[in-house]
Coordinates of all heavy atoms in Angstrom, one line a residue:
M1107 N -28.8 3.8 -9.1 CA -30.1 4.2 -8.6 C -30.0 5.1 -7.4 O -30.9 6.1 -7.1 CB -30.9 2.9 -8.4 CG -31.2 2.2 -9.6 SD -32.0 3.2 -11.1 CE -33.4 3.7 -10.4
A1108 N -29.0 4.8 -6.5 CA -28.8 5.7 -5.4 C -28.5 7.0 -5.7 O -29.1 8.0 -5.1 CB -27.7 5.1 -4.5
K1109 N -27.9 7.3 -6.8 CA -27.6 8.7 -7.4 C -28.8 9.4 -7.7 O -29.1 10.5 -7.4 CB -26.7 8.6 -8.4 CG -26.3 9.9 -9.1 CD -25.2 9.8 -10.1 CE -24.9 11.2 -10.7 NZ -24.2 11.1 -11.9
V1110 N -29.7 8.6 -8.3 CA -31.1 9.3 -8.7 C -31.9 9.7 -7.5 O -32.4 10.6 -7.5 CB -31.9 8.1 -9.5 CG1 -33.3 8.7 -9.6 CG2 -31.3 7.8 -10.8
F1111 N -31.8 8.8 -6.4 CA -32.7 9.2 -5.3 C -31.9 9.9 -4.3 O -32.4 10.4 -3.2 CB -33.2 7.9 -4.6 CG -34.1 7.1 -5.5 CD1 -33.9 6.0 -6.1 CD2 -35.4 7.7 -5.7 CE1 -34.8 5.3 -7.0 CE2 -36.4 7.1 -6.6 CZ -36.0 5.8 -7.3
G1112 N -30.7 10.2 -4.7 CA -29.9 11.2 -3.7 C -29.6 10.5 -2.3 O -29.6 11.2 -1.3
V1113 N -29.3 9.3 -2.3 CA -29.1 8.4 -1.1 C -27.9 7.6 -1.2 O -27.4 7.3 -2.5 CB -30.2 7.6 -0.7 CG1 -31.4 8.4 -0.4 CG2 -30.6 6.4 -1.7
S1114 N -27.1 7.1 -0.2 CA -26.1 6.3 -0.3 C -26.6 4.9 -0.6 O -27.8 4.4 -0.4 CB -25.3 6.1 1.0 OG -26.0 5.7 1.9
V1115 N -25.7 4.1 -1.3 CA -26.1 2.7 -1.6 C -26.5 1.9 -0.4 O -27.5 1.1 -0.4 CB -24.9 2.0 -2.3 CG1 -25.3 0.5 -2.7 CG2 -24.6 2.7 -3.7
S1116 N -25.8 2.2 0.7 CA -26.1 1.5 2.0 C -27.6 1.8 2.5 O -28.0 0.9 3.1 CB -25.1 1.8 3.1 OG -25.2 3.2 3.3
E1117 N -28.1 2.8 2.1 CA -29.5 3.2 2.5 C -30.5 2.2 1.8 O -31.6 1.9 2.5 CB -29.8 4.5 2.4 CG -29.1 5.6 3.3 CD -29.5 7.0 3.0 OE1 -30.7 7.2 3.3 OE2 -28.6 7.8 2.6
F1118 N -30.2 1.7 0.7 CA -31.0 0.6 0.1 C -31.1 -0.6 1.0 O -32.1 -1.5 0.9 CB -30.7 0.3 -1.3 CG -31.0 1.4 -2.4 CD1 -30.0 2.1 -2.9 CD2 -32.3 1.7 -2.5 CE1 -30.5 3.2 -3.7 CE2 -32.8 2.6 -3.5 CZ -31.9 3.3 -4.1
F1119 N -30.0 -1.0 1.6 CA -29.9 -2.2 2.4 C -30.0 -2.0 3.8 O -29.8 -2.9 4.7 CB -28.5 -2.9 2.0 CG -28.4 -3.1 0.5 CD1 -27.7 -2.2 -0.2 CD2 -29.1 -4.2 -0.1 CE1 -27.6 -2.5 -1.6 CE2 -29.0 -4.2 -1.5 CZ -28.3 -3.4 -2.2
N1120 N -30.2 -0.9 4.4 CA -30.3 -0.6 5.8 C -31.5 -1.2 6.3 O -32.7 -1.3 5.8 CB -30.6 1.1 6.0 CG -30.1 1.3 7.4 OD1 -30.0 0.5 8.2 ND2 -30.0 2.6 7.6
D1121 N -31.2 -1.9 7.7 CA -32.3 -2.7 8.1 C -33.0 -2.0 9.3 O -33.2 -2.7 10.3 CB -31.7 -4.2 8.5 CG -32.8 -5.2 8.8 OD1 -34.0 -5.0 8.3 OD2 -32.5 -6.0 9.5
N1122 N -33.2 -0.8 9.3 CA -33.8 -0.1 10.4 C -35.3 0.4 10.0 O -35.9 -0.2 9.2 CB -33.0 1.0 10.9 CG -32.8 2.1 9.9 OD1 -33.5 2.2 9.0 ND2 -31.7 2.9 10.0
D1123 N -35.8 1.3 10.7 CA -37.1 1.8 10.6 C -37.5 2.3 9.2 O -38.6 2.4 8.9 CB -37.4 2.8 11.7 CG -37.6 2.3 13.1 OD1 -37.7 1.1 13.3 OD2 -37.4 3.0 14.1
L1124 N -36.3 2.7 8.5 CA -36.6 3.2 7.2 C -37.4 2.2 6.3 O -38.1 2.6 5.3 CB -35.3 3.6 6.5 CG -34.6 4.9 6.9 CD1 -33.3 5.1 6.3 CD2 -35.7 6.1 6.8
Q1125 N -37.1 0.9 6.6 CA -37.7 -0.1 5.6 C -39.3 -0.1 5.8 O -39.9 -0.4 4.9 CB -37.2 -1.4 6.0 CG -35.9 -1.7 5.5 CD -35.4 -3.2 5.7 OE1 -36.0 -3.9 6.6 NE2 -34.4 -3.5 4.8
K1126 N -39.7 0.4 6.9 CA -41.2 0.3 7.1 C -41.8 1.6 6.2 O -42.9 1.5 5.9 CB -41.5 0.7 8.6 CG -41.1 -0.3 9.6 CD -41.4 0.0 11.0 CE -40.8 -1.1 11.9 NZ -41.1 -0.7 13.3
E1127 N -41.0 2.6 5.9 CA -41.4 3.7 5.1 C -41.1 3.6 3.6 O -41.6 4.3 2.9 CB -40.7 5.0 5.6 CG -40.9 5.3 7.0 CD -40.2 6.5 7.6 OE1 -39.7 7.3 6.8 OE2 -40.0 6.7 8.8
L1128 N -40.4 2.5 3.2 CA -40.0 2.3 1.8 C -41.1 1.9 1.0 O -42.0 1.2 1.5 CB -38.8 1.2 1.7 CG -37.5 1.6 2.3 CD1 -36.5 0.5 2.0 CD2 -37.1 2.9 1.7
N1129 N -41.1 2.3 -0.1 CA -42.2 1.8 -1.2 C -41.7 0.6 -1.9 O -41.0 0.6 -2.9 CB -42.4 2.9 -2.3 CG -43.4 2.7 -3.2 OD1 -43.8 1.6 -3.6 ND2 -43.9 3.8 -3.8
L1130 N -42.1 -0.6 -1.3 CA -41.6 -1.8 -1.7 C -41.9 -2.0 -3.2 O -41.0 -2.6 -3.9 CB -42.2 -3.1 -0.9 CG -41.8 -2.9 0.6 CD1 -42.3 -4.2 1.3 CD2 -40.2 -3.0 0.6
P1131 N -43.0 -1.8 -3.8 CA -43.1 -1.9 -5.3 C -42.1 -1.2 -6.0 O -41.7 -1.6 -7.0 CB -44.7 -1.6 -5.5 CG -45.2 -1.8 -4.2 CD -44.3 -1.4 -3.2
L1132 N -41.8 0.0 -5.5 CA -40.9 0.9 -6.2 C -39.4 0.2 -6.2 O -38.7 0.1 -7.2 CB -40.8 2.3 -5.8 CG -39.8 3.2 -6.3 CD1 -40.2 3.4 -7.9 CD2 -39.8 4.5 -5.6
L1133 N -39.1 -0.2 -5.1 CA -37.8 -1.1 -4.9 C -37.5 -2.3 -5.8 O -36.7 -2.5 -6.5 CB -37.6 -1.4 -3.6 CG -37.3 -0.2 -2.6 CD1 -37.1 -0.9 -1.2 CD2 -36.1 0.4 -3.0
E1134 N -38.9 -3.0 -6.1 CA -38.9 -4.2 -6.8 C -38.6 -3.7 -8.4 O -37.9 -4.3 -9.1 CB -40.3 -4.9 -6.8 CG -40.4 -5.6 -5.5 CD -39.2 -6.6 -5.3 OE1 -38.9 -7.5 -6.2 OE2 -38.8 -6.8 -4.1
K1135 N -39.1 -2.7 -8.7 CA -39.0 -2.2 -10.1 C -37.6 -1.6 -10.2 O -37.0 -1.9 -11.4 CB -40.0 -0.9 -10.3 CG -41.4 -1.5 -10.5 CD -42.3 -0.3 -10.7 CE -43.8 -1.1 -10.9 NZ -44.8 -0.3 -10.6
I1136 N -37.0 -1.0 -9.3 CA -35.5 -0.5 -9.3 C -34.6 -1.8 -9.5 O -33.7 -1.8 -10.4 CB -35.0 0.1 -8.1 CG1 -35.9 1.5 -8.0 CG2 -33.6 0.3 -8.0 CD1 -35.8 2.2 -6.6
K1137 N -34.9 -3.0 -8.9 CA -34.2 -4.1 -9.2 C -34.3 -4.5 -10.5 O -33.3 -5.0 -11.2 CB -34.6 -5.2 -8.2 CG -34.3 -5.0 -6.7 CD -35.0 -6.1 -5.9 CE -34.8 -5.9 -4.4 NZ -35.2 -6.9 -3.5
L1138 N -35.5 -4.6 -11.1 CA -35.8 -5.0 -12.5 C -35.1 -3.9 -13.4 O -34.5 -4.5 -14.5 CB -37.3 -5.0 -12.9 CG -37.9 -6.1 -12.1 CD1 -39.5 -6.0 -12.5 CD2 -37.5 -7.5 -12.5
I1139 N -35.0 -2.7 -13.2 CA -34.4 -1.7 -14.1 C -32.9 -2.1 -14.1 O -32.3 -1.9 -15.1 CB -34.7 -0.4 -13.5 CG1 -36.1 0.0 -13.8 CG2 -33.7 0.7 -14.2 CD1 -36.5 1.4 -13.1
D1140 N -32.3 -2.5 -12.9 CA -30.9 -2.8 -12.9 C -30.5 -3.9 -13.9 O -29.5 -4.0 -14.3 CB -30.4 -3.1 -11.5 CG -29.1 -3.2 -11.3 OD1 -28.4 -2.2 -11.8 OD2 -28.5 -4.0 -10.6
L1141 N -31.5 -4.7 -14.3 CA -31.2 -5.8 -15.2 C -31.4 -5.4 -16.7 O -30.9 -6.2 -17.6 CB -32.4 -7.0 -14.9 CG -32.3 -7.6 -13.6 CD1 -33.3 -8.5 -13.5 CD2 -30.9 -8.2 -13.2
L1142 N -31.9 -4.2 -16.9 CA -32.0 -3.8 -18.3 C -30.6 -3.4 -18.9 O -29.6 -3.1 -18.1 CB -32.9 -2.5 -18.2 CG -34.3 -2.7 -18.0 CD1 -35.0 -1.3 -17.9 CD2 -35.0 -3.5 -18.9
P1143 N -30.5 -3.3 -20.3 CA -29.3 -2.9 -20.9 C -29.0 -1.3 -20.5 O -29.9 -0.6 -20.1 CB -29.6 -2.9 -22.3 CG -30.7 -4.0 -22.5 CD -31.5 -3.7 -21.2
E1144 N -27.7 -1.1 -20.5 CA -27.2 0.3 -20.0 C -28.0 1.4 -20.8 O -28.5 2.4 -20.2 CB -25.8 0.4 -20.3 CG -25.1 1.8 -19.9 CD -25.2 2.0 -18.3 OE1 -25.3 1.0 -17.6 OE2 -25.3 3.1 -17.9
D1145 N -28.2 1.3 -22.1 CA -28.9 2.4 -22.9 C -30.3 2.6 -22.2 O -30.8 3.7 -22.2 CB -28.8 2.1 -24.3 CG -29.5 0.9 -24.8 OD1 -29.6 0.0 -24.0 OD2 -29.9 0.8 -26.0
E1146 N -31.1 1.5 -22.0 CA -32.4 1.5 -21.5 C -32.4 2.2 -20.2 O -33.3 3.0 -19.7 CB -33.0 0.2 -21.6 CG -33.3 -0.3 -23.0 CD -34.1 -1.6 -23.0 OE1 -34.8 -2.0 -22.0 OE2 -33.9 -2.2 -24.2
Q1147 N -31.5 1.8 -19.4 CA -31.2 2.5 -17.9 C -31.0 3.9 -18.1 O -31.7 4.7 -17.4 CB -30.3 1.8 -17.2 CG -30.4 0.4 -16.8 CD -29.2 -0.1 -16.0 OE1 -28.3 0.6 -15.5 NE2 -29.1 -1.4 -15.8
Q1148 N -30.3 4.3 -19.0 CA -30.0 5.7 -19.2 C -31.3 6.6 -19.6 O -31.5 7.7 -19.2 CB -28.9 6.0 -20.0 CG -27.5 5.5 -19.5 CD -27.2 6.2 -18.2 OE1 -27.3 7.4 -18.0 NE2 -26.7 5.4 -17.3
A1149 N -32.1 5.9 -20.6 CA -33.2 6.6 -21.0 C -34.2 6.7 -19.8 O -34.8 7.7 -19.7 CB -33.9 5.7 -22.1
L1150 N -34.3 5.7 -19.0 CA -35.3 5.8 -17.9 C -34.8 6.8 -16.9 O -35.5 7.7 -16.2 CB -35.3 4.4 -17.1 CG -36.2 3.4 -17.8 CD1 -36.0 2.0 -17.2 CD2 -37.7 3.8 -17.8
L1151 N -33.5 6.9 -16.6 CA -33.0 7.9 -15.7 C -33.2 9.4 -16.2 O -33.6 10.2 -15.4 CB -31.4 7.7 -15.5 CG -31.0 6.5 -14.7 CD1 -29.6 6.3 -14.7 CD2 -31.6 6.6 -13.3
K1152 N -33.0 9.6 -17.6 CA -33.5 10.9 -18.1 C -34.9 11.1 -17.9 O -35.3 12.2 -17.6 CB -33.1 10.8 -19.7 CG -31.6 10.9 -19.8 CD -31.4 11.0 -21.3 CE -29.9 10.9 -21.6 NZ -29.5 11.0 -23.0
M1153 N -35.7 10.2 -18.1 CA -37.2 10.4 -17.8 C -37.5 10.7 -16.4 O -38.3 11.7 -16.1 CB -38.1 9.1 -18.3 CG -38.1 9.0 -19.8 SD -39.3 7.8 -20.3 CE -38.5 6.3 -19.8
I1154 N -36.8 10.0 -15.5 CA -37.0 10.4 -14.0 C -36.5 11.8 -13.8 O -37.2 12.5 -13.1 CB -36.3 9.4 -13.2 CG1 -36.9 7.9 -13.4 CG2 -36.1 9.8 -11.8 CD1 -36.0 6.8 -12.8
D1155 N -35.4 12.2 -14.3 CA -34.8 13.4 -14.1 C -35.7 14.5 -14.6 O -36.0 15.6 -13.9 CB -33.4 13.7 -14.7 CG -32.3 12.8 -14.0 OD1 -32.4 12.5 -12.9 OD2 -31.4 12.6 -14.7
L1156 N -36.4 14.2 -15.7 CA -37.4 15.3 -16.3 C -38.6 15.4 -15.3 O -39.1 16.5 -15.2 CB -37.7 14.9 -17.6 CG -36.8 15.2 -18.8 CD1 -37.2 14.4 -20.1 CD2 -36.5 16.6 -19.0
A1157 N -39.0 14.3 -15.0 CA -40.2 14.1 -14.0 C -39.9 15.0 -12.7 O -40.8 15.8 -12.2 CB -40.6 12.8 -13.7
I1158 N -38.7 14.8 -12.1 CA -38.5 15.5 -10.9 C -38.3 17.0 -11.2 O -38.8 17.8 -10.4 CB -37.0 15.0 -10.4 CG1 -37.4 13.4 -9.9 CG2 -36.5 15.8 -9.2 CD1 -36.1 12.7 -9.5
S1159 N -37.6 17.2 -12.3 CA -37.4 18.8 -12.6 C -38.8 19.4 -12.9 O -39.1 20.5 -12.4 CB -36.6 18.9 -14.0 OG -35.3 18.4 -13.8
N1160 N -39.7 18.7 -13.5 CA -41.0 19.1 -13.7 C -41.7 19.5 -12.4 O -42.4 20.5 -12.2 CB -41.9 18.3 -14.6 CG -43.2 18.9 -15.0 OD1 -43.4 20.1 -15.3 ND2 -44.2 17.9 -15.2
K1161 N -41.7 18.5 -11.6 CA -42.3 18.6 -10.2 C -41.7 19.8 -9.4 O -42.5 20.5 -8.9 CB -42.1 17.4 -9.4 CG -42.5 17.4 -8.0 CD -43.9 17.3 -7.8 CE -44.2 17.1 -6.2 NZ -44.8 18.2 -5.6
R1162 N -40.4 19.9 -9.4 CA -39.7 21.1 -8.7 C -40.2 22.4 -9.3 O -40.4 23.3 -8.6 CB -38.3 20.9 -8.8 CG -37.7 19.8 -7.9 CD -36.2 19.7 -8.0 NE -35.6 18.6 -7.0 CZ -34.6 18.0 -7.2 NH1 -33.8 18.3 -8.2 NH2 -34.2 17.1 -6.5
M1163 N -40.3 22.5 -10.6 CA -40.6 23.7 -11.3 C -42.1 24.0 -10.9 O -42.5 25.2 -10.5 CB -40.6 23.5 -12.8 CG -40.9 24.9 -13.5 SD -40.7 24.8 -15.3 CE -41.9 23.5 -15.7
K1164 N -43.1 23.1 -10.9 CA -44.4 23.3 -10.5 C -44.4 23.7 -9.0 O -45.2 24.7 -8.6 CB -45.2 22.0 -10.6 CG -45.7 21.7 -12.2 CD -46.4 20.5 -12.2 CE -46.8 20.1 -13.5 NZ -47.5 18.9 -13.6
D1165 N -43.8 23.1 -8.2 CA -43.7 23.5 -6.8 C -43.2 25.0 -6.5 O -43.7 25.7 -5.8 CB -42.8 22.5 -5.9 CG -43.5 21.2 -5.8 OD1 -44.7 20.9 -6.1 OD2 -42.7 20.2 -5.3
N1166 N -42.1 25.3 -7.2 CA -41.6 26.6 -7.1 C -42.7 27.6 -7.7 O -42.8 28.7 -7.1 CB -40.3 26.8 -7.9 CG -39.1 25.9 -7.3 OD1 -39.1 25.8 -6.1 ND2 -38.1 25.7 -8.1
L1167 N -43.2 27.3 -8.7 CA -44.3 28.3 -9.3 C -45.4 28.4 -8.4 O -45.9 29.6 -8.2 CB -44.8 27.8 -10.6 CG -43.7 28.0 -11.8 CD1 -44.3 27.3 -13.0 CD2 -43.5 29.4 -11.9
Q1168 N -45.8 27.3 -7.7 CA -46.9 27.4 -6.7 C -46.5 28.2 -5.5 O -47.3 29.1 -5.1 CB -47.3 26.1 -6.3 CG -48.5 25.9 -5.3 CD -49.8 26.4 -6.1 OE1 -50.0 26.2 -7.3 NE2 -50.5 27.2 -5.4
Q1169 N -45.3 28.0 -5.1 CA -44.8 29.0 -4.0 C -44.8 30.4 -4.3 O -45.1 31.3 -3.4 CB -43.4 28.5 -3.5 CG -43.2 27.2 -2.7 CD -41.9 26.8 -2.4 OE1 -40.9 27.4 -2.8 NE2 -41.8 25.9 -1.6
I1170 N -44.4 30.7 -5.5 CA -44.4 32.2 -6.1 C -45.9 32.6 -6.1 O -46.1 33.8 -5.6 CB -43.7 32.3 -7.4 CG1 -42.1 32.0 -7.2 CG2 -43.9 33.7 -8.0 CD1 -41.5 31.8 -8.5
I1171 N -46.7 31.8 -6.6 CA -48.2 32.3 -6.8 C -48.7 32.6 -5.4 O -49.5 33.6 -5.1 CB -48.9 31.4 -7.5 CG1 -48.5 31.3 -8.9 CG2 -50.4 31.6 -7.5 CD1 -49.1 30.1 -9.8
T1172 N -48.4 31.6 -4.4 CA -49.1 31.8 -3.0 C -48.4 32.8 -2.2 O -48.9 33.2 -1.1 CB -49.1 30.5 -2.3 OG1 -47.8 29.9 -2.2 CG2 -50.0 29.4 -3.1
Q1173 N -47.3 33.3 -2.5 CA -46.7 34.5 -1.6 C -47.4 35.8 -2.0 O -47.8 36.3 -2.7 CB -45.2 34.5 -2.0 CG -44.5 33.2 -1.4 CD -43.0 33.3 -1.7 OE1 -42.4 34.1 -2.4 NE2 -42.3 32.3 -1.1

């Protein structure tokens, strides 16, 4: 999951001010995803990658339009 979010594994367990900014419901879901079979995890990761790619594409198009 750290790879998906582009952070180190230690950042999930860091006990500093970042915890105040974390989305705790999301972290609970990540813990549950970790319990799923590998094929289901991979399917979810693909969906997450697609959603992120879609967001980036929309953001890039919006930047082009506003320039």
Side-chain angles (χ1 to χ4, degrees):
M1107 295 310 294
K1109 183 178 177 183
V1110 170
F1111 294 107
V1113 297
S1114 68
V1115 174
S1116 65
E1117 289 184 62
F1118 281 112
F1119 304 102
N1120 200 346
D1121 194 23
N1122 63 18
D1123 291 336
L1124 285 177
Q1125 284 188 337
K1126 295 176 186 175
E1127 299 174 20
L1128 292 177
N1129 183 338
L1130 293 180
L1132 180 60
L1133 288 178
E1134 289 300 317
K1135 288 178 180 153
I1136 291 170
K1137 289 177 187 177
L1138 293 173
I1139 289 169
D1140 196 40
L1141 300 175
L1142 294 173
E1144 181 67 26
D1145 61 329
E1146 291 180 23
Q1147 288 181 18
Q1148 291 304 316
L1150 283 170
L1151 291 175
K1152 286 179 184 179
M1153 288 190 293
I1154 291 168
D1155 287 341
L1156 286 170
I1158 292 169
S1159 294
N1160 188 34
K1161 170 78 168 105
R1162 287 179 179 159
M1163 183 177 64
K1164 285 180 181 179
D1165 290 348
N1166 288 339
L1167 288 172
Q1168 186 63 39
Q1169 286 180 349
I1170 291 170
I1171 291 170
T1172 58
Q1173 289 180 351

